[in-house]
Amino acid sequence: MLNVHLVPHTHDDVGWLKTVDQYYYGDRNNIQHAGVQYILDSVIDQLQKDPARRFIYVETAFFYRWWKQQNQSTQRIVTQLVNEGRLEFINGGWCMSDEATTHYSAVIDQMTLGLRFLNDTFGECGRPRVAWHIDPFGHAREHASIFAQMGYDGFFFGRLDYQDKARRMKTKEMEMLWRASESLTPPLADLFTGVLPNGYNPPEGFCWDQSCDDAPIRDDPDLEDYNVDEIVQKFLNAGFYKANHIIMTMGSDFQYENANLWYKNMDKLIKYVNALQAKGSKVNVLYSTPSCYLQELNLANLTWPLKTDDFFPYADDAHDFWTGYFTSRPALKLYERLSNSRLQTCNQLEVLGGPKSKSGPFGEGDSDTMSKAMGVAQHHDAVSGTEKQHVAYDYARRLATGWAHCEVLVRNSLAILSGSEAPHVFCENLNISVCPLTESSHKFSMNVYNPLGRTVSWPVRLPVNGSVYSVTDANGRAVDSQVGNVFISLKCTCYIYDMKSSCLLPLLSVRWFHCLIMCVFVLFDNHRYNASAGNNKESPQTSGAYIFRPNSSDPFVINKTAETQIVTVSSTVQEVTQWFSPWVSQVVRLYEGHRELELEWTVGPVPVADGLGKEVITRLDTDIKSSDYFYTDSNGREVLERRKDYRPTWELKQTEPVAGNYYPINSRAYIKDDKHQLTVVTDRSQGASSLYNGSLEIMLHRRLLYDDYRGVGEPLSEPGDFSDGLVARGRLLLTFTPPDTAADVHRPLAQGMVLQPLLSFQDDSYYELEHQYQAKESKTHSQPVTVNLQKLFSTLDVLGASEMSLGANQWKEDMDRLQWNAGNNYPSPWEVTLNPMEIRTFLLRVRQL
Amino acid sequence: MLNVHLVPHTHDDVGWLKTVDQYYYGDRNNIQHAGVQYILDSVIDQLQKDPARRFIYVETAFFYRWWKQQNQSTQRIVTQLVNEGRLEFINGGWCMSDEATTHYSAVIDQMTLGLRFLNDTFGECGRPRVAWHIDPFGHAREHASIFAQMGYDGFFFGRLDYQDKARRMKTKEMEMLWRASESLTPPLADLFTGVLPNGYNPPEGFCWDQSCDDAPIRDDPDLEDYNVDEIVQKFLNAGFYKANHIIMTMGSDFQYENANLWYKNMDKLIKYVNALQAKGSKVNVLYSTPSCYLQELNLANLTWPLKTDDFFPYADDAHDFWTGYFTSRPALKLYERLSNSRLQTCNQLEVLGGPKSKSGPFGEGDSDTMSKAMGVAQHHDAVSGTEKQHVAYDYARRLATGWAHCEVLVRNSLAILSGSEAPHVFCENLNISVCPLTESSHKFSMNVYNPLGRTVSWPVRLPVNGSVYSVTDANGRAVDSQVGNVFISLKCTCYIYDMKSSCLLPLLSVRWFHCLIMCVFVLFDNHRYNASAGNNKESPQTSGAYIFRPNSSDPFVINKTAETQIVTVSSTVQEVTQWFSPWVSQVVRLYEGHRELELEWTVGPVPVADGLGKEVITRLDTDIKSSDYFYTDSNGREVLERRKDYRPTWELKQTEPVAGNYYPINSRAYIKDDKHQLTVVTDRSQGASSLYNGSLEIMLHRRLLYDDYRGVGEPLSEPGDFSDGLVARGRLLLTFTPPDTAADVHRPLAQGMVLQPLLSFQDDSYYELEHQYQAKESKTHSQPVTVNLQKLFSTLDVLGASEMSLGANQWKEDMDRLQWNAGNNYPSPWEVTLNPMEIRTFLLRVRQL
């Protein structure tokens, strides 16, 4: 028997063409017909009609919201459906995260948010066993590693490079074992991975959603147009794989709003196809779920091909590389990253401040709002920058609202911790030198909260109006500082070096490093690609929110001789400002006591009056003999080797010499030879490549004039606050080191970029312990580390500890993933050892001291 | 309290942009999203969720089909919903018939088909109490009369002339008592009639169907975009009538496929609006039905304005007269009329032949298929000619299939009645002189079945290949006949005069009238209007399937001097053939023994190479002093007086001097003065007008190049079988009489046109007795007639008789319609008296003799 597993599913973006609220309620259906509340209403109704019917649900952000609005009777029905396996949660994170532009810490948070809700609501039966990333535009190895560590038995996705797919179809390698870490001992990060046969759509002709136009099954023989025989034959001819089990995704974007249409026709399909078994047919169709399907594959006890690299970049045709979104919406990408830092701070202060931090002298605050805002921001049309403009605004608004709730909590917590109720003001716009309090006050104090678990030194710049300031630390000792007038606004900036030795120490400890002088060793220059308008002879593909396609492989130099306007040399910083054009400038800074060079770039508004979209890169040219190799991180954790015009798993036919060599970077990229390594640490996700020996380029900003035909329906041309185009500003940190000590510098640098000082501490109910070095990359740090859980917190008494899966939704000892022909070796210590790249999650029972 | 009656409803065309099957199953959703099976599934589900919810269903053609596919459990649930008044049938005919282009006999048949099904299935609780014609494009008085006689308590519709509507809104005459007959004694044909406030749509902003884009009620205060207060306020501001009851249609075309969307939001609307009563609001919103609403109006015991004319023509703006569809698709209109005649024959022979007629020597036959095909053909986008071309083909195909089923039945029945099983062949295409049997055989016999209840003489023309024929009747007596070669095909035609004295007499009795010589007393000529292409300065309105709008008020004469090709004078017929152009010709015939002149017109393919759509009329100019008056029938029964540039109930501002004076004719039109009356009897529904003193014009054919923006989305340009445009052929019968004897001629003539000889007899289980003369129109015939029911049938023994409502779905004595301030006076005889225009329906218990 060939078993055809019909998997009824809906793919519900938590924002894309509409906002997450509009999708939930079915508002603005003129933009796109989609209303998730009705999908869940309808599916629950239809599942009750026949115990054979199945459904999977994926996005907990929507399910959570719907669940809250149901009465007890409906909740009981749903619980029963879950217990009976008729409704099954798959993936189960708050959203289906993007894989190219997300940071692993935010991904784990959003997964945890969703998985914990399912756990709390449905217990073990609500725990998803399969990861399901049917839509993201390429797949990161780190995501697979995270899923494996979260206890998922398998992973299914829909999109991969068209050349790769063609090859896999031919060699029957659509299903594989993905070994997703070079550091973790197999099978810790091994994940069974399947490519779905029809993306995530039903086979052609079998889409029975209200949004589809395929013919329904007309089975009344009295009527005109009886078509049962024709449909059954078409289904039998649909061209299955050769295995005796095949999965068919029966659903698509926002489908099942009227689930009756689907189920009524699938009931008939099952009935009429299986009826042919009496006549000798060997095809058996059944309602199923990905986990049931996976179970069958596992029982088959086959040997699967091994995959060790990742699935980037994604191209769906020769000139259609989805590498533009690595950089699309740079301001949103930065704001999401900044919000991540703030959420960690908020979470830490919620734990440290105790229950009163949520209801204290400054009112009611919470971290939930921010958690949920960050949860949706991880979506594959959110931080990816591939949503409509109004939706991008909505994500930003949610993050701002989240922070407003956190602010109250943080104020309460700081008041509790410091014993002072003096109000704290937060300055949101320091990156553009705006802070009303510091600009208007002649005397103010500043608290610096360091969310990191270790000491950092951090340059702080504040806009002020005076020209002479005395800066002291909490103990009254003088802090070296400098007031300058580096901006044309003539505002002055006060440089303060602040350092916390540990998040467990009292706040406001300040330390001072003396300066080290460095020389500028890199030639950096800004270029731009002009975007394809779809009018060339090879292909009509344009550059857009998703797709990067320059109209020429050679970038234009924006200005060969940058105008160097101001050079500041002081005891705390050396600074050079360069103007490449009225819309591209850069400040180069070297801070005393720091080994990294800071490039602060400002790009925009990108002019488009010449009718050309533009994609601005910064290119770093060195004499490093990197040949065709370069290195990019995966979700801010492990680093993968990249090679120009090459893919590790198939013989690449390169059709886009620039876009086809771009890869996502979430935190860093580097080039190296035997002696030197240039590492760039970024403040947000971007696209990067190395197209020449010794050269590393990073895309900073994009402004385009055409939609790229992947559904968003808008050209990516972000408006600015004061001009017709968005001005983006950001920072790159450059380090130049021997290769074998590079990680010792770039790991803490990148972590410091992710968790920025402002206000913070560590985790509450669950605590992730993480080893952040990759195996063998650092002689000193790529070693196992042992931590004593009882000594971790200075203000908490740890009463007990239980290790959990990475998503904190099951006990680690209960994790019983399907075995894929290899032994298991989980260590089970009380003193916890962390191997390189390992993240472990513990539930601690604590008592406030 | 102001009570707002929310009436959840769906308007389900039994064919329009898609065929009735495609609508039922939800096929071809790329044309229009609509699937009736799912609507009923969904509504039944949603009604069960809350006993307060209500729904009305209208089109029995769809309901019947759905009901057949339900299991017993669902049927029980539905029955309970009907019994509890939660699901209510409204209108309840097979379809919602067109009112301008239908013949009353077919309308009664389709109503009866639906009502009987409801009666048989649900008993008294399934009987509709309200007629509901929310979409037809103008309203015929005869329809109102039929509804009153069928026992309906009231009638609601959506469309009326925009000037009339504006006036009624101002004078609060949107609800009225329609006295729908000049002949029937009030209140026999009195009908409470209401114009719905929003056509049949929900108030603006309150459409919550999946097909709408209005904002849903977002009532979770935690979420963004909470909008309850705004929606409630908007509803309260929606501008109600001043009465304390108001009806709101909550639904529209094919809505409620996912009824949850509607009910979920209406539940909330009711909850939040009524919650304001606690704060002093006087608005009460409730789920309701038209009959509940009507009950409340009736209890109010008000006096309503009286309406005695009709609602034709319908215009929705100054240059937008829906008078084109009176003539659109002339071939379909003829075929529908011919099918009506065949169905009557089929029904009669089914009764006469007994059970064996359905399963006899020629196989299995039935009249149901034809009944249902005719049922959907009455729809307001079927015989109206306003459907898409592929749908028009589908209606024709259904009629053909219906006839194929009838043919078997008729063959069986004729075999039973004649005692001979010699096979009968039917010739479908006699109107274009095609009959393979007569053309190939040298010897054949012909049965003529007369479906009329009285003797007629009828000319029969058969195409033959020989030139000498001997024609005899059943008794071997010679029948006068003539073989000619009047057609350019050179086929010969054999004229036979055949007459049946009664349908109760043996078949094949033949009688012969000697000729009367008449003179041609009318100047008839063919003209055409060129259609508006929407490019003139007053309005962009084009002429289309619905709309008639010539680009000039003066028609073009197609050819001033018609070429007269052949004149045949024989003992049986005088015949003149005129060619006005290669695509317009006419044969004028005067038969021996007949007082009418026959004009057989042939129009098409209408040339459009000049870029102009054309609408061809025949204009009859006489010296009758008709002034501005002319007369048109209503659904083939009563005749209404029309006056140029005038409406009986409001002061007309005429904006379209031609189109605004067109009225539908279903069987006849006439002009008259004191001495003379010219009556034209037609073979199908057409549009007609009198624009000059003594002139009567009839539109014959239309071919247009633009859609008219009323939804059909196609220009009305019918393809022909052998050419690029449809050739239409038809007959007009002209009589010229004194006015006081005109009806004596035109009534039987029109009836003979409707029920054409070929194969036929009378009714089965219910028998409609009809008086076909209008009051006072004929001195001899406009008198009460008494019939003895026991003596009606020569082959049946009548055992008992019970009078029923006109729709045959309730006992006449049980008819208990709401009273509208007037006494009741139903006669209750055993010997049945028929007053002018009365139709009475009896259920007879019979025994085959």
Side-chain angles (χ1 to χ4, degrees), chain A residues 140-149 177-191 193 306-310 634 637-640 747 771-776 806 817 835-839:
Chain A
R141 202 177 66 184
E142 191 60 35
H143 262 72
S145 174
I146 289 171
F147 290 144
Q149 293 176 73
L177 194 64
W178 195 350
R179 185 146 292 166
S181 172
E182 294 169 27
S183 308
L184 298 176
T185 311
L188 276 182
D190 286 357
L191 189 67
T193 299
L306 196 71
K307 163 87 173 176
T308 57
D309 61 325
D310 65 358
S634 180
R637 296 204 89 221
E638 294 195 46
V639 170
L640 282 81
R747 286 278 166 200
H771 191 305
Q772 59 167 337
Y773 283 81
Q774 193 165 343
K776 296 178 201 141
L806 183 56
R817 303 172 58 212
N835 291 300
M837 278 295 138
E838 196 166 10
I839 304 180

Side-chain angles (χ1 to χ4, degrees), chain B residues 224-513:
Chain B
E224 308 294 340
D225 306 332
Y226 175 87
N227 68 346
V228 170
D229 302 339
E230 172 197 338
I231 293 254
V232 165
Q233 208 47 54
K234 190 173 174 186
F235 188 76
L236 294 177
N237 293 341
F240 303 131
Y241 291 6
K242 280 205 175 146
N244 64 348
H245 287 276
I246 169 78
I247 186 171
M248 289 224 171
T249 42
M250 303 304 272
S252 193
D253 293 3
F254 296 97
Q255 294 197 355
Y256 287 79
E257 186 173 308
N258 192 358
N260 176 41
L261 280 64
W262 261 115
Y263 284 113
K264 195 170 190 179
N265 284 287
M266 283 191 292
D267 282 352
K268 291 178 184 177
L269 182 71
I270 291 170
K271 172 179 160 190
Y272 293 117
V273 171
N274 291 352
L276 292 183
Q277 291 169 14
K279 297 181 187 167
S281 160
K282 294 286 180 204
V283 176
N284 185 48
V285 193
L286 66 156
Y287 282 117
S288 186
T289 68
S291 53
C292 294
Y293 172 67
L294 196 66
Q295 192 93 32
E296 296 292 342
L297 290 189
N298 187 253
L299 289 174
N301 204 25
L302 302 173
T303 296
W304 307 95
L306 196 70
K307 164 85 175 177
T308 56
D309 61 326
D310 66 357
F311 290 96
F312 283 118
Y314 166 56
D316 57 9
D317 209 341
H319 301 282
D320 312 57
F321 279 84
W322 297 47
T323 54
Y325 80 97
F326 301 160
T327 299
S328 295
R329 302 197 183 278
L332 179 65
K333 282 182 164 69
L334 176 66
Y335 191 50
E336 181 277 331
R337 192 63 63 88
L338 184 63
S339 298
N340 183 37
S341 175
R342 287 172 171 175
L343 174 59
Q344 305 312 324
T345 299
C346 187
N347 284 335
Q348 289 172 17
L349 285 171
E350 186 174 356
V351 174
L352 292 174
K356 284 185 184 163
S357 60
K358 293 173 80 171
S359 183
F362 297 99
E364 308 280 320
D366 65 83
S367 60
D368 288 358
T369 310
M370 188 68 157
S371 285
K372 288 170 188 162
M374 277 297 289
V376 298
Q378 304 313 308
H379 171 58
H380 57 275
D381 288 304
V383 65
S384 60
T386 55
E387 65 283 74
K388 280 190 185 287
Q389 185 63 48
H390 79 104
V391 179
Y393 286 147
D394 184 69
Y395 288 123
R397 192 183 45 71
R398 278 168 197 281
L399 293 172
T401 305
W403 176 239
H405 286 239
C406 269
E407 255 190 35
V408 178
L409 185 154
V410 167
R411 283 192 179 117
N412 287 336
S413 187
L414 289 178
I416 293 158
L417 295 173
S418 68
S420 152
E421 296 195 1
H424 290 266
V425 169
F426 301 89
C427 285
E428 302 285 302
N429 299 307
L430 282 180
N431 75 323
I432 55 167
S433 299
V434 174
C435 182
L437 187 140
T438 60
E439 290 174 271
S440 60
S441 171
H442 286 285
K443 188 174 179 194
F444 58 88
S445 62
M446 182 179 73
N447 291 319
V448 179
Y449 179 81
N450 174 10
L452 290 167
R454 59 176 173 77
T455 298
V456 286
S457 85
W458 195 261
V460 176
R461 310 171 72 207
L462 298 177
V464 290
N465 273 326
S467 56
V468 182
Y469 283 83
S470 158
V471 182
T472 58
D473 67 16
N475 299 320
R477 285 178 300 209
V479 172
D480 200 5
S481 62
Q482 185 173 357
V483 181
N485 60 343
V486 293
F487 299 102
I488 46 168
S489 66
L490 295 178
K491 286 175 185 168
C492 304
T493 299
C494 168
Y495 295 98
I496 302 166
Y497 284 83
D498 170 68
M499 233 205 60
K500 281 274 293 90
S501 58
S502 161
C503 58
L504 300 175
L505 291 182
L507 299 172
L508 300 173
S509 78
V510 172
R511 217 175 101 209
W512 169 241
F513 272 121

Side-chain angles (χ1 to χ4, degrees), chain A residues 21 25-30 33 37-38 41 45-46 49 65-66 68-69 210-220 222-225 257-258 260-261 264-265 268 397-398 401, chain B residues 21 25-30 33 37-38 41-42 45-46 49 65-66 68-69 210-213 215-220 222-225 257-258 260-261 264-265 268 397-398 401:
Chain A
D21 280 359
Y25 269 106
D27 201 6
R28 301 290 299 278
N29 273 353
N30 57 327
H33 188 95
Q37 61 166 333
Y38 306 124
D41 287 345
D45 273 4
Q46 291 299 321
K49 291 192 188 289
R65 181 179 281 208
W66 180 83
K68 277 205 316 174
Q69 296 183 334
Q210 66 175 31
S211 62
C212 295
D213 299 333
D214 289 345
I217 297 185
R218 299 178 298 256
D219 57 345
D220 183 341
D222 287 357
L223 303 176
E224 307 292 342
D225 304 332
E257 186 172 309
N258 193 359
N260 177 40
L261 280 65
K264 196 169 190 177
N265 285 287
K268 291 178 183 175
R397 192 183 46 69
R398 278 169 198 279
T401 304
Chain B
D21 281 358
Y25 269 105
D27 200 6
R28 298 292 298 275
N29 273 352
N30 57 328
H33 189 94
Q37 61 165 333
Y38 305 125
D41 286 346
S42 185
D45 272 4
Q46 290 299 320
K49 290 191 188 289
R65 182 179 282 208
W66 180 82
K68 277 204 315 175
Q69 295 183 333
Q210 67 177 28
S211 63
C212 295
D213 298 334
I217 298 185
R218 297 178 300 254
D219 58 345
D220 182 341
D222 288 357
L223 301 175
E224 308 294 340
D225 306 332
E257 186 173 308
N258 192 358
N260 176 41
L261 280 64
K264 195 170 190 179
N265 284 287
K268 291 178 184 177
R397 192 183 45 71
R398 278 168 197 281
T401 305

Side-chain angles (χ1 to χ4, degrees), chain B residues 536-554:
Chain B
N536 79 345
K537 61 180 186 293
E538 286 89 7
S539 159
Q541 183 60 52
T542 50
S543 227
Y546 299 94
I547 306 280
F548 169 36
R549 187 166 184 239
N551 70 1
S552 156
S553 297
D554 297 319

